[in-house]
Amino acid sequence: MPLAIEDYAMIGDRHTAALVGRDGSIDWLCLPRFDSPSTFGALLGDADHGRWLLRPADGTATATRRYKGDTLILETEWTTQNGVVRVTDFMPYGNRRADVVRRVHGVRGAVRMRQDLRIRFGYASALPWVRQVGGAAGPALLAAAGPDALILRGPELRATGHAHTGEFTVSEGETVDLVLTWFPSHREAPAPLDVDAAFASTTAEWHDWAHTLTHRGPHHGLVIRSLLMLRALTHEDTGGIVAAATTSLPEQAGGVRNWDYRYVWLRDASLTLLVLLSHKSTGEAAHWRDWLLRAIAGDPSDVQIMYGLAGERDLAERTVTTLPGFRGAAPVRVGNGAVEQFQADVIGEVMVALEVAREAGLAETRDSWSLQRALLEYTARHIDEKDNGIWEMRGDPQYFTHSRAMMWAAFDRGVRAVERHGFAGDASTWRSMRDRLASEIEEHGFDRTRNSYVQHYGSTEVDASLLQLAQVGYLDYDDPRMLGTVAAIEHDLLADGLVLRYRSSEVGDGLPAGENPFLACSFWLVEQYAKSGRTDDATALMDGLAALASDVGIFSEEYDFAAGTQMGNVPQALTHLTFVRAADAIHAARPSHAARSESAEHP
């Protein structure tokens, strides 16, 4: 059985990522991309669905772990009866290879280490042909099945059924390297990795980027870790930003709300970009805008809400029967059916992000502004259509208030681009549509009896996404209508002190009722509190939420208070970016605290 979600740490090379458990087992790894079929899939099953265990043979050994500074290099220190070893796990960054390095260093005494390697390509559908290819001086194991091949260089392993196991001893001062390398099976195995050089360059790459960041405010270390996670989820070559590194981790224990998040949602990527820009990471803005131009190339009427890492369009959802699911939560899904949906809000998030990038100094090109004009034309053509909303409802389409407000934001940013920056465009038409949407929202999306905006026209239910209305400038954070909406959300959607997306028992979303609080929604509430003068409430909620991060600073999508565990896909980009926004909002609300030690600039 897999560990609890919070017991996994992520290592990655900005092409893919591995989840390393507290027990020393890599239980999730897709090679060579985030969205490739799994090679190690024990996260969604058990050890026989693929894993790579490396830990002391002493079953009583205890471990502590941390990231090495501001990197994605994981250090785990194991203490046994006979000594102490440090295992350093990382994926070399920037070398255009697909390697996983596990370096074992003897700290004290002599420690016997154990390996258990179970390679299962293709979501555990392909058991590879495995053979020994090294010699006594350099043992190596080669595994191949279909298009995939791996070579593991390190201490010798021997076949034990469908696993390969072995033990070796590491003494004080000694270092033993294990390097797993993926390559296409029709090619020769890559040359052995220079681990010392890879470690030095990977450390420098992460540190150099982290040191360009600016941050002042509470939870400084966790903010920097969140920004590192967002960068780790950004593909180095294409600029696509995946929503999470995993698929099908359930929103509710044993439930069916299990989705594949290893793709690029226009919404989530735009929101990620806003956060990176706010911390002076402008390089990602140009890279992502180029990705957007490629992904939406052609007829804007064909725009999708999500794409593959390189802009792929075919993301058809299917069930994987070879993986039983996280602790039995089935089905396991690959692809995402939401790709077929119309979600009217996404162009608004894109336009907001591109305006912020422009104001941060990213110069528009002829193509980039032409794209934005085309997106506004697309929005205008669809202004009267109902949609599936930000939560990708699988029930009947509606006029979701959040979606209508984001369409308002799209036209608003178009008008501002013309009036403030002098770009050519039909500002008169865009202004008219913006004003029409505002009038419509006030008439049909606002419950005057309750003084609150509603989830969709004709409903009396509220929705946490309404907390974004002030974020895009539709109204002020302290507007009485916004404060009334917050009061309704507090009354209807707070569960164990955290915010639900909506009441699934009252809303027809096409799925069985029941889910846990969605962490991003709670961070939106923190931001709203901070921006509307409720700083103490913001701080109290923020401190409680920060405590829900894992020991290495990772957030998932949701939290199950009854079970005391994280739920949903991980690391969740939306959770990390909303955490950063919340921390920034609290700091901005307390300028007198700017000199506090916790608010120091990142070195």
Side-chain angles (χ1 to χ4, degrees):
M1 185 174 73
L3 303 176
I5 292 171
E6 62 269 20
D7 287 335
Y8 289 98
M10 187 181 87
I11 58 173
D13 60 2
R14 300 189 62 213
H15 292 256
T16 189
L19 294 188
V20 186
R22 285 180 182 271
D23 59 354
S25 181
I26 295 179
D27 284 352
W28 184 253
L29 175 62
C30 300
L31 292 166
R33 298 198 332 178
F34 290 102
D35 57 355
S36 297
S38 63
T39 296
F40 300 136
L43 180 71
L44 299 179
D46 58 32
D48 282 332
H49 295 96
R51 74 161 183 186
W52 183 13
L53 176 72
L54 174 65
R55 58 158 295 144
D58 179 357
T60 66
T62 59
T64 59
R65 60 181 184 168
R66 65 173 185 239
Y67 284 110
K68 178 179 173 62
D70 295 325
T71 74
L72 254 71
I73 299 173
L74 181 68
E75 296 181 331
T76 304
E77 190 161 283
W78 290 93
T79 300
T80 74
Q81 296 178 8
N82 297 318
V84 177
V85 294
R86 181 170 57 250
V87 177
T88 302
D89 292 317
F90 70 100
M91 298 185 73
Y93 170 19
N95 65 0
R96 296 301 188 274
R97 291 169 52 124
D99 300 302
V100 179
V101 177
R102 313 196 77 176
R103 167 168 276 190
V104 186
H105 178 73
V107 177
R108 186 176 70 250
V111 177
R112 189 75 173 162
M113 299 295 292
R114 177 169 72 91
Q115 283 195 82
D116 184 325
L117 178 69
R118 307 183 191 203
I119 301 168
R120 304 290 189 268
F121 293 121
Y123 300 113
S125 68
L127 193 66
W129 173 47
V130 183
R131 58 194 174 98
Q132 304 283 349
V133 295
L141 201 68
L142 180 66
D148 300 301
L150 290 174
I151 186 167
L152 174 60
R153 296 179 171 101
E156 185 176 17
L157 296 175
R158 290 295 178 186
T160 306
H162 293 307
H164 283 76
T165 62
E167 295 188 358
F168 60 96
T169 299
V170 179
S171 299
E172 183 174 336
E174 183 181 5
T175 297
V176 177
D177 291 327
L178 300 82
V179 181
L180 183 76
T181 304
W182 176 92
F183 61 99
S185 60
H186 63 278
R187 296 181 181 171
E188 294 295 319
L193 180 72
D194 183 335
V195 176
D196 288 334
F199 179 79
S201 63
T202 300
T203 301
E205 288 276 5
W206 287 113
H207 273 159
D208 289 350
W209 182 81
H211 289 180
T212 67
L213 300 172
T214 59
H215 174 254
R216 299 179 67 85
H219 303 288
H220 176 76
L222 200 49
V223 167
I224 298 301
R225 177 55 50 194
S226 290
L227 293 168
L228 285 163
M229 286 295 156
L230 293 174
R231 181 166 172 81
L233 295 172
T234 304
H235 194 274
E236 179 184 20
D237 293 337
T238 71
I241 305 169
V242 297
T246 58
T247 179
S248 301
L249 289 177
E251 296 177 9
Q252 187 176 39
V256 300
R257 295 173 184 256
N258 316 324
W259 315 112
D260 192 349
Y261 280 11
R262 299 170 300 157
Y263 306 111
V264 186
W265 271 257
L266 296 186
R267 175 192 309 109
D268 297 52
S270 298
L271 295 172
T272 297
L273 188 63
L274 286 173
V275 166
L276 292 173
L277 283 167
S278 71
H279 291 273
K280 309 304 181 187
S281 180
T282 56
E284 281 70 21
H287 204 187
W288 183 76
R289 190 179 67 183
D290 290 344
W291 174 90
L292 184 67
L293 285 166
R294 295 191 303 271
I296 305 181
D299 188 347
S301 65
D302 295 330
V303 68
Q304 298 181 174
I305 64 150
M306 57 187 291
Y307 296 86
L309 280 162
E312 297 90 344
R313 291 171 172 265
D314 185 4
L315 308 179
E317 183 174 298
R318 64 184 176 89
T319 297
V320 174
T321 59
T322 49
L323 292 172
F326 178 82
R327 300 186 177 182
V332 170
R333 294 181 173 95
V334 169
N336 198 301
V339 72
E340 303 293 339
Q341 292 184 350
F342 172 54
Q343 297 176 18
D345 66 298
V346 297
I347 305 305
E349 279 103 352
V350 170
M351 292 297 295
V352 169
L354 291 177
E355 182 194 50
V356 173
R358 183 164 54 240
E359 294 182 346
L362 180 63
E364 292 286 3
T365 66
R366 182 181 62 183
D367 290 340
S368 66
W369 176 242
S370 294
L371 168 67
Q372 291 169 71
R373 290 179 61 176
L375 292 177
L376 290 172
E377 291 168 6
Y378 168 86
T379 305
R381 286 197 299 273
H382 291 272
I383 195 169
D384 293 318
E385 286 188 33
K386 297 179 179 181
D387 78 308
N388 297 92
I390 183 175
W391 307 128
E392 302 178 347
M393 302 290 198
R394 299 200 172 196
D396 294 334
Q398 303 286 348
Y399 287 123
F400 287 99
T401 304
H402 170 267
S403 296
R404 309 304 281 176
M406 290 301 155
M407 295 175 83
W408 175 94
F411 291 121
D412 180 70
R413 272 34 176 207
V415 171
R416 284 155 60 160
V418 173
E419 295 182 346
R420 296 185 183 181
H421 299 280
F423 292 106
D426 191 355
S428 177
T429 296
W430 298 339
R431 186 183 303 106
S432 175
M433 290 188 169
R434 178 192 66 183
D435 295 346
R436 170 194 156 180
L437 283 163
S439 296
E440 175 197 290
I441 290 168
E442 295 307 313
E443 181 177 355
H444 300 292
F446 187 74
D447 182 343
R448 287 173 175 75
T449 301
R450 203 176 187 191
N451 189 36
S452 170
Y453 290 99
V454 296
Q455 184 184 57
H456 61 77
Y457 296 177
S459 172
T460 58
E461 289 292 314
V462 290
D463 189 302
S465 65
L466 298 169
L467 292 167
Q468 286 199 291
L469 269 58
Q471 294 177 14
V472 297
Y474 177 78
L475 76 173
D476 292 334
Y477 287 91
D478 59 357
D479 186 290
R481 295 166 296 172
M482 195 68 223
L483 299 181
T485 303
V486 170
I489 288 171
E490 290 172 325
H491 183 273
D492 291 1
L493 301 185
L494 281 180
D496 297 312
L498 302 185
V499 183
L500 298 168
R501 295 185 296 175
Y502 50 86
R503 293 194 293 192
S504 62
S505 60
E506 304 297 325
V507 174
D509 63 5
L511 294 164
E515 68 170 3
N516 291 297
F518 202 79
L519 292 174
C521 299
S522 297
F523 288 125
W524 284 338
L525 185 58
V526 171
E527 179 176 346
Q528 169 63 36
Y529 282 162
K531 296 281 190 177
S532 60
R534 296 174 61 178
T535 311
D536 290 343
D537 289 336
T539 300
L541 180 55
M542 185 68 165
D543 290 346
L545 287 164
L548 303 182
S550 74
D551 62 309
V552 289
I554 293 177
F555 288 108
S556 67
E557 184 177 39
E558 303 187 353
Y559 195 84
D560 182 342
F561 258 108
T565 188
Q566 293 185 357
M567 297 300 296
N569 284 310
V570 68
Q572 177 81 357
L574 185 61
T575 310
H576 281 282
L577 72 88
T578 52
F579 168 79
V580 175
R581 287 184 61 117
D584 291 345
I586 290 174
H587 176 66
R590 289 184 166 178
S592 63
H593 292 186
R596 287 167 51 179
S597 60
E598 68 173 5
S599 304
E601 289 280 359
H602 197 59

